[in-house]
Amino acid sequence: MEERQLDLFAATLRADSSDTRALVEALGAKLEDALPGSAVIERKATRLFSKDKRVEKITIRLGQDSYTLSISGDNARAQRSKTVGGIAIRNEELSLDEWLRGLTHALAAEAKRSEAGRIALERLLS
């Protein structure tokens, strides 16, 4: 059931991807809350001394894979990396759809592997 909910969540994100900036902001907030130990959200002030900050980069580490989503203006750059022994052995550029699909499947696999992964997935879907 959770994998089906995760696919629905990913489909909803893809459907809303016409506004890339809004998608990245919403995804950053959701992942930061759901995956506090695995998600790193980098934000940058919109202006000098401004308290208003926007997501600039999202990095999620799940096992040996890292999913990174960077945004500049309205242009997003999605990557998946495989790391062994602390060294990235493979980096691949992905479309936003491929990135979301890969991340959702990695989260589903993590939920099956561990209790912490299951709890994080439940928080993401709520």
Side-chain angles (χ1 to χ4, degrees), residues 13 16-28 71 74:
L13 287 174
D16 293 340
S17 66
S18 60
D19 183 356
T20 306
R21 169 57 63 189
L23 169 71
V24 171
E25 291 294 332
L27 190 58
I71 187 160
D74 285 331

Side-chain angles (χ1 to χ4, degrees), residues 17 19-25 42-44 54-58 68-78 96:
S17 66
D19 183 356
T20 306
R21 169 57 63 189
L23 169 71
V24 171
E25 291 294 332
E42 296 177 29
R43 292 182 171 84
K44 186 176 180 183
R54 290 183 151 186
V55 173
E56 189 172 76
K57 187 176 185 181
I58 298 171
T68 304
L69 182 62
S70 306
I71 187 160
S72 179
D74 285 331
N75 298 317
R77 180 177 180 216
L96 188 54

Side-chain angles (χ1 to χ4, degrees), residues 15-101:
D16 293 340
S17 66
S18 60
D19 183 356
T20 306
R21 169 57 63 189
L23 169 71
V24 171
E25 291 294 332
L27 190 58
K30 199 77 162 155
L31 289 169
E32 186 172 46
D33 182 52
L35 303 165
S38 300
V40 176
I41 313 301
E42 296 177 29
R43 292 182 171 84
K44 186 176 180 183
T46 55
R47 294 184 315 257
L48 189 62
F49 305 117
S50 173
K51 291 183 181 181
D52 184 31
K53 295 184 179 188
R54 290 183 151 186
V55 173
E56 189 172 76
K57 187 176 185 181
I58 298 171
T59 303
I60 300 100
R61 290 179 186 84
L62 298 168
Q64 293 181 332
D65 292 329
S66 292
Y67 292 83
T68 304
L69 182 62
S70 306
I71 187 160
S72 179
D74 285 331
N75 298 317
R77 180 177 180 216
Q79 291 182 298
R80 178 175 44 211
S81 303
K82 179 163 275 326
T83 305
V84 176
I87 299 170
I89 60 169
R90 183 179 67 213
N91 291 315
E92 56 186 319
E93 294 284 327
L94 303 171
S95 70
L96 188 54
D97 277 353
E98 290 172 321
W99 187 86
L100 286 168
R101 197 173 308 113

